[in-house]
């Protein structure tokens, strides 16, 4: 069953290739959705996929950027089915 994951990362998460790496990881895990920088120096991710794929995706992001992430807000929601790919949005 597909789920939606909303992530809000804080720390030194802008200007380090975070969005591009997240997009690449999404492709590896067949995750759909988007990632964007926010004006308050945080990065927001909205992703949909099977729950197991989302857990792996989340774990890989956190491992890859562990020295840059100070905090992450994780919110699980029902999937909407609205996404066809994974994009970097502005």
């Amino acid at each position: 069953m597909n789920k939606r994951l909303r992530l809000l990362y804080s720390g030194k998460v802008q200007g380090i290739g975070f969005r591009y790496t997240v997009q690449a990881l999404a492709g590896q895990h067949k995750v759909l959705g988007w990632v964007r920088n926010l004006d308050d120096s945080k990065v927001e991710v909205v992703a949909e996929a099977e729950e197991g794929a989302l857990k792996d995706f989340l774990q890989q992001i956190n491992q890859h950027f562990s020295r840059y992430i100070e905090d992450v807000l994780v919110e699980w929601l029902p999937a909407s089915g609205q996404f066809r790919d994974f994009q970097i949005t502005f």
Side-chain angles (χ1 to χ4, degrees):
M1 172 186 248
N2 281 1
K3 294 210 172 179
R4 176 180 279 209
L5 186 58
R6 180 176 177 263
L7 306 167
L8 193 60
Y9 286 96
S10 59
K12 189 177 186 318
V13 291
Q14 290 191 13
I16 58 167
F18 195 96
R19 292 174 298 159
Y20 298 98
T21 302
V22 167
Q23 185 181 41
L25 291 171
Q28 292 173 17
H29 294 283
K30 297 182 173 52
V31 171
L32 308 176
W34 51 261
V35 58
R36 68 178 174 177
N37 284 347
L38 300 177
D39 291 338
D40 62 0
S41 299
K42 294 179 182 171
V43 175
E44 181 180 21
V45 178
V46 174
E48 291 189 2
E50 290 286 332
E51 185 175 355
L54 289 173
K55 287 180 179 180
D56 291 343
F57 175 64
L58 175 60
Q59 181 182 19
Q60 283 208 317
I61 294 170
N62 292 342
Q63 284 177 347
H64 192 85
F65 291 105
S66 62
R67 63 183 166 163
Y68 301 103
I69 297 169
E70 290 178 10
D71 192 31
V72 59
L73 171 73
V74 178
E75 184 178 9
W76 289 93
L77 302 161
S80 69
Q82 74 186 77
F83 304 116
R84 299 291 168 243
D85 58 8
F86 194 95
Q87 298 182 355
I88 295 172
T89 63
F90 299 91

